[in-house]
Amino acid sequence: MYTHEDYKDTLTSEPVASTLKRLHKQAEEADKPLQQEYSKLRKLYKEAKEKEANKSLEQEYSSIDVIADLLKEERKNYKEMYQNKFASHYLSVTPEFGDFLYMCARTANAKQIVEFGTSFGISSIYLAAALRDNGGGELISTEIEESKALQARKNIAAAGLSDLVDIRIGDALETLSTGFKGKIDLALLDGAFSLYLPVLKLLEPHFRMGTVLISENALVAEYLKHIRNPANGYHSKKILVGEGNDNEKGNELSIVTWNKMSLENRLDKTSASISDAQSVPAMVKSSSIFLAGQIYLTKNQALSRERIVRRPQHKQNGLAVI
Ligand SMILES: C[S@@+](CC[C@H](N)C(=O)[O-])C[C@H]1O[C@@H](n2cnc3c(N)ncnc32)[C@H](O)[C@@H]1O
């Protein structure tokens, strides 16, 4: 008879468990000189910072100065930085953060996951393990450095998860601009910091209410302002998971509370009827596009498309988002 003692999740079973153990060890060795260099720099910055009073949003975190410097360099030429300087570095999530990713994907019962920044595939393995345990799905992950992406494919194969992962080789600004089959249940941003906002803009039309967004090192002020503004459809918080590790500063967990882009797409499909404001209430009543439980009519009012999209949560407008 099958009992709960027989059950093992994919993450803690073979071949995933030993593959991750091996990769984390390799990552530690490969990134050791880089980590040592950064911890020296951090010490120097810390001393300098104690004397300095001015704190901007980008200086909210204790190791921000090193990251701010990286950011400056990245903004000059992110391709050069990631395809040369960091081409052999893992820059991967810690086991603790990976475990957190697995748990988020299980909690969201995610079937469609997108990852910006594959590197050697460590975080991809945590996410794909969750897909396996959720009953299947697809992880689309993207990596600009071809040699890393090819090795990531091998690592994911060693973990027995290749059937769940599509690694797109190239710049996320191109590879994530198209080719999504359904709504994204969970997205992980862990690539070039300066591209978080443009990459997010590519993904937003595919979000749904409740989509989970995890941003590693979300340290760019414009990005934080965007996801911390409820009017943009997010509820967002800094999280402390993995904070003990220098790689894991400034992580952010966000959920999509409503989605303007997704509403616009849906409304675009019905633009003929919507443009005739008088027909909106009748159309809403009869149309299956509104049966997803996301929009409902609160008053029998005629509405312009603009008002629906701009103030979807405002019940006075006649339509509300639930
Ligand atoms: C922090 S590492 C990702 C670590 C990985 N998520 C893990 O935990 O194993 C960031 C990766 O993003 C890649 N990257 C940076 N900019 C990119 C871009 N524009 N498009 C695709 N990948 C990019 C880098 O080459 C690098 O391998």
Side-chain angles (χ1 to χ4, degrees):
M1 199 180 78
Y2 187 83
T3 72
H4 68 280
E5 278 147 25
D6 300 319
Y7 178 76
K8 278 200 171 161
D9 62 36
T10 302
L11 192 61
T12 54
S13 304
E14 293 305 333
V16 171
S18 59
T19 307
L20 280 174
K21 200 170 165 193
R22 172 173 62 80
L23 291 175
H24 277 300
K25 197 160 181 284
Q26 282 173 209
E28 203 183 316
E29 274 159 26
D31 289 3
K32 203 183 257 170
L34 194 70
Q35 295 299 351
Q36 282 168 347
E37 186 192 326
Y38 285 143
S39 69
K40 257 193 232 155
L41 275 175
R42 275 190 190 100
K43 229 174 123 193
L44 290 175
Y45 279 124
K46 202 170 166 238
E47 285 162 14
K49 209 165 151 188
E50 276 161 11
K51 296 178 195 151
E52 165 203 304
N54 179 28
K55 277 194 176 182
S56 72
L57 189 54
E58 285 193 20
Q59 287 172 326
E60 201 179 301
Y61 305 97
S62 58
S63 69
I64 191 75
D65 304 278
V66 172
I67 292 174
D69 283 353
L70 281 176
L71 201 57
K72 248 188 252 162
E73 201 181 331
E74 203 188 72
R75 278 184 172 135
K76 268 190 238 148
N77 191 344
Y78 64 87
K79 291 186 184 172
E80 155 73 21
M81 188 166 157
Y82 285 100
Q83 297 189 278
N84 291 312
K85 186 172 176 177
F86 291 140
S88 59
H89 290 292
Y90 282 64
L91 313 168
S92 53
V93 295
T94 58
E96 184 192 0
F97 202 83
D99 205 45
F100 173 72
L101 291 178
Y102 173 83
M103 290 174 74
C104 286
R106 292 296 314 264
T107 308
N109 195 20
K111 304 275 191 236
Q112 174 83 63
I113 303 180
V114 175
E115 173 180 50
F116 167 39
T118 318
S119 192
F120 289 96
I122 292 186
S123 49
S124 313
I125 292 175
Y126 285 96
L127 292 168
L131 286 178
R132 177 77 79 227
D133 293 338
N134 288 344
E138 186 185 38
L139 165 66
I140 294 170
S141 185
T142 190
E143 174 53 56
I144 198 166
E145 172 49 38
E146 189 177 17
S147 61
K148 279 184 165 183
L150 297 176
Q151 185 56 47
R153 279 190 188 143
K154 288 185 192 160
N155 294 339
I156 291 161
L161 298 166
S162 301
D163 57 309
L164 298 162
V165 187
D166 167 16
I167 295 188
R168 299 183 181 177
I169 303 176
D171 190 333
L173 295 178
E174 284 151 32
T175 56
L176 298 182
S177 65
T178 178
F180 300 105
K181 285 178 207 137
K183 290 288 170 202
I184 298 169
D185 301 305
L186 185 145
L188 169 66
L189 303 190
D190 191 18
F193 311 135
S194 54
L195 299 184
Y196 281 18
L197 194 52
V199 167
L200 183 72
K201 297 272 179 195
L202 293 177
L203 302 181
E204 276 179 343
H206 310 285
F207 285 169
R208 58 164 174 82
M209 258 179 279
T211 293
V212 178
L213 171 67
I214 300 156
S215 325
E216 277 254 333
N217 311 117
L219 301 162
V220 174
E222 311 92 78
Y223 178 74
L224 281 176
K225 276 183 198 148
H226 182 79
I227 54 169
R228 287 184 182 171
N229 180 356
N232 290 326
Y234 297 97
H235 189 87
S236 194
K237 283 255 174 306
K238 177 185 174 182
I239 48 166
L240 299 176
V241 182
E243 272 285 290
N245 181 287
D246 278 342
N247 266 351
E248 310 272 25
K249 299 283 179 193
N251 297 327
E252 188 89 1
L253 176 66
S254 324
I255 52 161
V256 175
T257 50
W258 66 275
N259 192 260
K260 177 179 164 179
M261 298 289 278
S262 146
L263 286 177
E264 276 174 350
N265 283 348
R266 205 189 343 247
L267 293 170
D268 278 346
K269 284 186 205 138
T270 60
S271 55
S273 311
I274 289 280
S275 63
D276 174 5
Q278 291 306 320
S279 69
V280 172
M283 194 203 69
V284 170
K285 266 187 201 158
S286 63
S287 172
S288 61
I289 61 160
F290 291 109
L291 293 182
Q294 296 190 327
I295 299 178
Y296 67 93
L297 199 62
T298 56
K299 283 184 195 169
N300 213 17
Q301 250 180 313
L303 289 166
S304 72
R305 176 179 181 278
E306 178 67 355
R307 285 174 70 198
I308 298 167
V309 173
R310 282 183 52 208
R311 310 196 66 193
Q313 76 281 50
H314 201 308
K315 290 186 183 167
Q316 298 311 312
N317 282 345
L319 282 178
V321 173
I322 54 172

Coordinates of all heavy atoms in Angstrom, one line a residue, residues 93 101 112-128 138-143 152 156 165-168 172 175-176 180 184 186-191 199 203 214 216:
V93 N 21.9 31.4 -7.3 CA 21.2 31.4 -6.0 C 21.8 30.5 -5.0 O 22.4 29.5 -5.4 CB 19.7 31.1 -6.2 CG1 19.0 32.1 -7.1 CG2 19.5 29.7 -6.8
L101 N 12.6 29.4 -4.0 CA 12.0 29.4 -5.3 C 11.1 28.2 -5.5 O 10.0 28.3 -6.1 CB 13.1 29.4 -6.4 CG 13.9 30.6 -6.5 CD1 15.0 30.4 -7.6 CD2 13.1 31.9 -6.8
Q112 N 3.4 27.6 -15.8 CA 4.2 28.4 -16.8 C 5.1 29.4 -16.0 O 4.6 30.2 -15.3 CB 3.3 29.2 -17.7 CG 3.9 30.2 -18.6 CD 4.4 29.5 -19.9 OE1 3.7 29.0 -20.7 NE2 5.7 29.5 -20.1
I113 N 6.4 29.1 -16.1 CA 7.4 30.0 -15.4 C 8.4 30.6 -16.4 O 8.7 30.0 -17.4 CB 8.2 29.1 -14.3 CG1 7.2 28.4 -13.4 CG2 9.2 29.9 -13.6 CD1 7.9 27.5 -12.3
V114 N 8.8 31.8 -16.1 CA 9.8 32.5 -16.9 C 10.9 33.0 -16.0 O 10.7 33.5 -14.9 CB 9.1 33.7 -17.7 CG1 10.2 34.5 -18.4 CG2 8.0 33.2 -18.6
E115 N 12.1 32.7 -16.5 CA 13.3 33.1 -15.8 C 14.2 34.0 -16.7 O 14.6 33.6 -17.8 CB 14.1 31.9 -15.3 CG 15.4 32.2 -14.7 CD 16.1 30.9 -14.2 OE1 16.3 30.0 -15.0 OE2 16.6 30.9 -13.1
F116 N 14.6 35.1 -16.2 CA 15.6 36.0 -16.8 C 16.9 35.8 -16.1 O 17.1 36.2 -15.0 CB 15.1 37.4 -16.7 CG 16.1 38.5 -17.1 CD1 17.0 38.3 -18.2 CD2 16.2 39.7 -16.4 CE1 17.9 39.2 -18.5 CE2 17.2 40.6 -16.8 CZ 18.0 40.4 -17.8
G117 N 17.9 35.1 -16.9 CA 19.2 34.8 -16.3 C 19.3 33.4 -15.9 O 19.1 33.0 -14.7
T118 N 19.7 32.5 -16.8 CA 19.8 31.1 -16.5 C 21.2 30.8 -15.9 O 21.2 29.9 -15.0 CB 19.8 30.3 -17.9 OG1 18.8 30.8 -18.7 CG2 19.6 28.8 -17.6
S119 N 22.2 31.4 -16.3 CA 23.6 31.1 -16.0 C 23.8 29.6 -16.2 O 23.5 29.1 -17.3 CB 23.9 31.5 -14.5 OG 25.3 31.4 -14.3
F120 N 24.2 28.8 -15.2 CA 24.5 27.4 -15.4 C 23.3 26.5 -15.1 O 23.4 25.3 -15.0 CB 25.8 27.0 -14.7 CG 27.0 27.5 -15.3 CD1 27.6 28.7 -14.8 CD2 27.6 26.9 -16.4 CE1 28.7 29.3 -15.4 CE2 28.8 27.5 -17.0 CZ 29.3 28.6 -16.4
G121 N 22.2 27.2 -14.8 CA 21.0 26.4 -14.6 C 20.6 26.0 -13.2 O 19.7 25.2 -13.0
I122 N 21.3 26.5 -12.2 CA 21.0 26.1 -10.8 C 19.5 26.5 -10.4 O 18.7 25.6 -10.0 CB 22.0 26.6 -9.8 CG1 23.4 26.0 -10.1 CG2 21.6 26.4 -8.4 CD1 24.5 26.3 -9.1
S123 N 19.2 27.8 -10.6 CA 17.8 28.2 -10.2 C 16.8 27.5 -11.1 O 15.7 27.2 -10.6 CB 17.7 29.7 -10.3 OG 18.2 30.2 -11.5
S124 N 17.2 27.3 -12.3 CA 16.2 26.6 -13.3 C 15.9 25.2 -12.7 O 14.7 24.7 -12.9 CB 16.9 26.4 -14.7 OG 17.4 27.6 -15.1
I125 N 16.9 24.5 -12.1 CA 16.6 23.2 -11.6 C 15.6 23.2 -10.5 O 14.7 22.4 -10.4 CB 17.9 22.5 -11.2 CG1 18.8 22.2 -12.5 CG2 17.7 21.2 -10.4 CD1 20.1 21.6 -12.2
Y126 N 15.7 24.2 -9.6 CA 14.8 24.3 -8.5 C 13.4 24.6 -9.0 O 12.4 24.0 -8.6 CB 15.1 25.5 -7.6 CG 16.3 25.2 -6.6 CD1 17.6 25.6 -7.0 CD2 16.1 24.5 -5.4 CE1 18.7 25.3 -6.1 CE2 17.2 24.3 -4.6 CZ 18.4 24.6 -4.9 OH 19.5 24.3 -4.1
L127 N 13.3 25.5 -10.0 CA 12.0 25.8 -10.6 C 11.4 24.7 -11.4 O 10.2 24.4 -11.3 CB 12.1 27.1 -11.5 CG 12.4 28.4 -10.7 CD1 12.8 29.5 -11.7 CD2 11.3 28.8 -9.9
A128 N 12.2 24.0 -12.1 CA 11.7 22.8 -12.9 C 11.3 21.7 -12.0 O 10.3 21.0 -12.3 CB 12.7 22.4 -13.9
E138 N 6.0 24.3 -18.1 CA 7.1 24.8 -18.9 C 7.8 25.9 -18.2 O 7.2 26.9 -17.7 CB 6.7 25.2 -20.3 CG 7.8 25.6 -21.2 CD 7.4 26.2 -22.5 OE1 6.4 26.9 -22.5 OE2 8.1 25.8 -23.5
L139 N 9.2 25.8 -18.1 CA 10.0 26.9 -17.7 C 10.7 27.4 -18.9 O 11.4 26.7 -19.6 CB 11.1 26.4 -16.7 CG 12.2 27.4 -16.4 CD1 11.8 28.6 -15.7 CD2 13.3 26.7 -15.5
I140 N 10.5 28.7 -19.2 CA 11.2 29.4 -20.2 C 12.3 30.2 -19.5 O 12.0 31.0 -18.7 CB 10.3 30.3 -21.1 CG1 9.3 29.5 -21.8 CG2 11.1 31.2 -22.0 CD1 8.2 30.4 -22.5
S141 N 13.5 29.9 -19.8 CA 14.6 30.6 -19.2 C 15.6 31.1 -20.3 O 15.7 30.5 -21.4 CB 15.4 29.6 -18.3 OG 16.4 30.3 -17.6
T142 N 16.2 32.3 -20.0 CA 17.0 32.8 -21.1 C 18.4 33.3 -20.6 O 18.5 33.7 -19.5 CB 16.2 34.0 -21.8 OG1 16.9 34.4 -22.9 CG2 16.1 35.2 -20.9
E143 N 19.4 33.0 -21.5 CA 20.8 33.3 -21.1 C 21.5 33.9 -22.3 O 21.4 33.4 -23.4 CB 21.4 32.0 -20.7 CG 22.9 32.1 -20.4 CD 23.3 33.2 -19.4 OE1 22.8 33.3 -18.3 OE2 24.2 34.0 -19.8
A152 N 24.2 24.8 -19.1 CA 22.9 24.7 -18.3 C 22.0 23.6 -18.8 O 21.4 22.8 -18.1 CB 22.2 26.1 -18.4
I156 N 20.7 20.6 -16.5 CA 19.3 20.3 -16.4 C 19.0 18.9 -16.8 O 18.2 18.2 -16.2 CB 18.5 21.4 -17.1 CG1 18.6 22.7 -16.4 CG2 17.0 21.0 -17.2 CD1 18.3 23.9 -17.3
V165 N 12.0 22.3 -19.6 CA 12.8 23.5 -19.7 C 13.1 23.9 -21.1 O 13.6 23.1 -21.9 CB 14.1 23.5 -18.9 CG1 14.7 24.9 -18.8 CG2 13.8 23.0 -17.4
D166 N 12.8 25.2 -21.5 CA 13.2 25.7 -22.8 C 14.2 26.8 -22.5 O 13.8 27.9 -22.0 CB 11.9 26.2 -23.5 CG 12.2 27.1 -24.7 OD1 13.3 27.0 -25.2 OD2 11.2 27.8 -25.1
I167 N 15.4 26.6 -22.9 CA 16.4 27.6 -22.7 C 16.6 28.4 -24.0 O 17.0 27.9 -25.0 CB 17.8 27.1 -22.2 CG1 17.5 26.5 -20.8 CG2 18.8 28.2 -22.1 CD1 18.8 26.0 -20.1
R168 N 16.3 29.7 -23.9 CA 16.4 30.5 -25.1 C 17.7 31.3 -25.0 O 18.0 32.1 -24.1 CB 15.2 31.5 -25.1 CG 13.9 30.8 -25.2 CD 12.7 31.8 -25.3 NE 11.5 31.0 -25.4 CZ 10.3 31.6 -25.5 NH1 10.2 33.0 -25.5 NH2 9.2 30.9 -25.5
A172 N 17.6 38.7 -23.4 CA 16.3 38.7 -23.0 C 15.3 39.7 -23.6 O 14.1 39.4 -23.8 CB 16.2 38.9 -21.4
T175 N 14.6 37.5 -26.7 CA 14.1 36.2 -26.5 C 12.8 36.1 -25.7 O 12.1 35.2 -25.8 CB 15.2 35.3 -25.7 OG1 15.5 36.0 -24.5 CG2 16.4 35.1 -26.5
L176 N 12.6 37.2 -24.9 CA 11.3 37.2 -24.1 C 10.3 38.1 -24.7 O 9.3 38.4 -24.1 CB 11.6 37.5 -22.6 CG 12.5 36.6 -21.9 CD1 12.7 37.1 -20.4 CD2 12.0 35.2 -21.9
F180 N 5.0 33.0 -25.8 CA 4.4 32.5 -24.5 C 3.0 31.8 -24.9 O 2.2 32.4 -25.6 CB 4.2 33.6 -23.5 CG 5.5 34.3 -23.1 CD1 5.8 35.5 -23.6 CD2 6.4 33.6 -22.3 CE1 7.0 36.1 -23.2 CE2 7.6 34.2 -22.0 CZ 7.9 35.5 -22.4
I184 N 1.6 33.6 -17.4 CA 2.8 33.3 -16.6 C 2.3 33.2 -15.2 O 1.7 34.2 -14.6 CB 3.9 34.4 -16.8 CG1 4.4 34.4 -18.3 CG2 5.0 34.2 -15.8 CD1 5.2 35.6 -18.6
L186 N 4.6 32.4 -12.6 CA 5.7 32.9 -11.8 C 6.8 33.3 -12.7 O 7.1 32.7 -13.7 CB 6.2 31.7 -10.9 CG 7.3 32.0 -9.9 CD1 7.0 31.2 -8.6 CD2 8.7 31.8 -10.4
A187 N 7.5 34.5 -12.3 CA 8.6 34.9 -13.0 C 9.8 35.2 -12.1 O 9.5 35.8 -11.0 CB 8.2 36.2 -13.8
L188 N 11.0 34.9 -12.5 CA 12.2 35.2 -11.7 C 13.1 36.1 -12.5 O 13.4 35.7 -13.6 CB 12.9 33.9 -11.4 CG 14.3 34.1 -10.8 CD1 14.3 34.7 -9.4 CD2 15.0 32.7 -10.6
L189 N 13.4 37.2 -12.0 CA 14.3 38.1 -12.7 C 15.6 38.0 -11.9 O 15.8 38.4 -10.8 CB 13.8 39.6 -12.6 CG 12.4 39.9 -13.2 CD1 12.2 41.4 -13.3 CD2 12.3 39.2 -14.6
D190 N 16.6 37.5 -12.7 CA 18.0 37.3 -12.1 C 19.0 37.5 -13.2 O 20.0 36.7 -13.3 CB 18.0 35.9 -11.4 CG 19.3 35.7 -10.6 OD1 19.9 36.7 -10.2 OD2 19.6 34.6 -10.3
G191 N 18.9 38.5 -14.0 CA 19.8 38.8 -15.0 C 20.5 40.2 -14.8 O 20.6 40.6 -13.7
V199 N 12.5 44.3 -19.1 CA 12.1 42.9 -19.2 C 10.8 42.7 -18.6 O 9.9 42.0 -19.2 CB 13.2 41.9 -18.6 CG1 12.7 40.5 -18.4 CG2 14.5 41.9 -19.4
L203 N 7.1 41.1 -20.1 CA 6.3 40.0 -19.5 C 4.9 40.4 -19.0 O 4.0 39.6 -19.0 CB 7.1 39.4 -18.2 CG 8.5 38.9 -18.5 CD1 9.1 38.4 -17.2 CD2 8.5 37.8 -19.6
I214 N 9.5 37.3 -8.6 CA 10.6 37.3 -7.6 C 11.8 38.0 -8.3 O 12.2 37.6 -9.4 CB 11.0 35.9 -7.2 CG1 9.8 35.2 -6.6 CG2 12.2 35.9 -6.3 CD1 9.9 33.7 -6.6
E216 N 15.7 39.0 -7.9 CA 16.9 39.0 -7.2 C 17.7 40.3 -7.4 O 17.8 40.8 -8.5 CB 17.8 37.9 -7.8 CG 17.5 36.5 -7.3 CD 18.5 36.0 -6.4 OE1 19.7 36.4 -6.5 OE2 18.2 35.1 -5.5

